[in-house]
Amino acid sequence: RFFPTLQLYDGLNCVIALDFDGVVTENSFTELYKLCIDRCKTEICSANPEIKSSWFVNRNLELPYRINSCKGKIKKIKLLIELNQNNDYVFYIDNEKEYLEFAWLFGIQTYIYENKKIKYFSLKSR
C-alpha cells in the first residue's frame, strides 16, 4: 500500500519519482498523480526528452516539483541515483521492470504501476 507507506516517512526529505510514458500519461493514473502531488514532493523522471510543462497545463494538472526529461535510459538511471543521493527516501513508480530493477539495486523504494494500481516491487519478492 503505497500511500500509507509514504505517510510513515512524513518529516523526512522524501521525493516521489514518476515515470512519464506509461504511468503519468495513463488516464487511470490521473487521480493517483493528484494524490502524489498533494502528499509529497513529486518529480517526473523519464527517458523521454520531449516532456513539456504544457502537457500538465493542458490537462489541468498541477505541475510537478521538477520535470526531469532525460534523453535515454542511462541518463534516466543516473538521475534516479542522483535523486537517491540528495534525498532521504525516493519512492519510484514505473511500469517497466527494467528501470525498477536498477533502481531497486541502488536502494530506491520501487513500485510498479500495473492494472491501474501502484504495487510494491522488489527483486526479493518474485
Side-chain angles (χ1 to χ4, degrees):
R1 298 191 35 175
F2 178 73
F3 291 106
T5 301
L6 182 64
Q7 190 175 14
L8 292 173
Y9 294 92
D10 189 38
L12 296 173
N13 183 22
C14 298
V15 65
I16 299 172
L18 299 175
D19 178 51
F20 187 72
D21 297 312
V23 178
V24 176
T25 58
E26 292 295 313
N27 290 332
S28 59
F29 193 77
T30 301
E31 293 304 315
L32 294 171
Y33 173 80
K34 292 176 183 176
L35 287 172
C36 289
I37 291 288
D38 287 343
R39 297 187 180 183
C40 188
K41 178 172 69 173
T42 303
E43 297 191 21
I44 301 301
C45 181
S46 178
N48 177 350
E50 304 293 320
I51 304 167
K52 307 286 185 227
S53 58
S54 59
W55 187 91
F56 297 91
V57 173
N58 293 341
R59 287 159 182 78
N60 294 317
L61 294 173
E62 188 175 335
L63 289 173
Y65 177 76
R66 184 176 294 131
I67 298 173
N68 301 295
S69 188
C70 304
K71 186 175 184 180
K73 293 179 180 184
I74 293 173
K75 287 186 179 180
K76 178 179 176 177
I77 292 168
K78 285 182 179 180
L79 176 68
L80 285 168
I81 294 167
E82 183 180 315
L83 284 174
N84 197 38
Q85 291 172 342
N86 296 327
N87 295 279
D88 293 330
Y89 287 94
V90 176
F91 297 90
Y92 176 54
I93 302 172
D94 202 327
N95 65 324
E96 296 180 64
K97 289 184 179 180
E98 176 185 4
Y99 291 111
L100 292 168
E101 289 169 356
F102 277 107
W104 186 86
L105 289 172
F106 286 98
I108 296 171
Q109 303 294 309
T110 50
Y111 293 84
I112 189 163
Y113 181 68
E114 62 183 4
N115 301 323
K116 301 180 183 181
K117 294 182 181 174
I118 300 171
K119 301 175 184 177
Y120 181 69
F121 178 86
S122 171
L123 291 178
K124 287 185 178 180
S125 64
R126 285 194 175 202

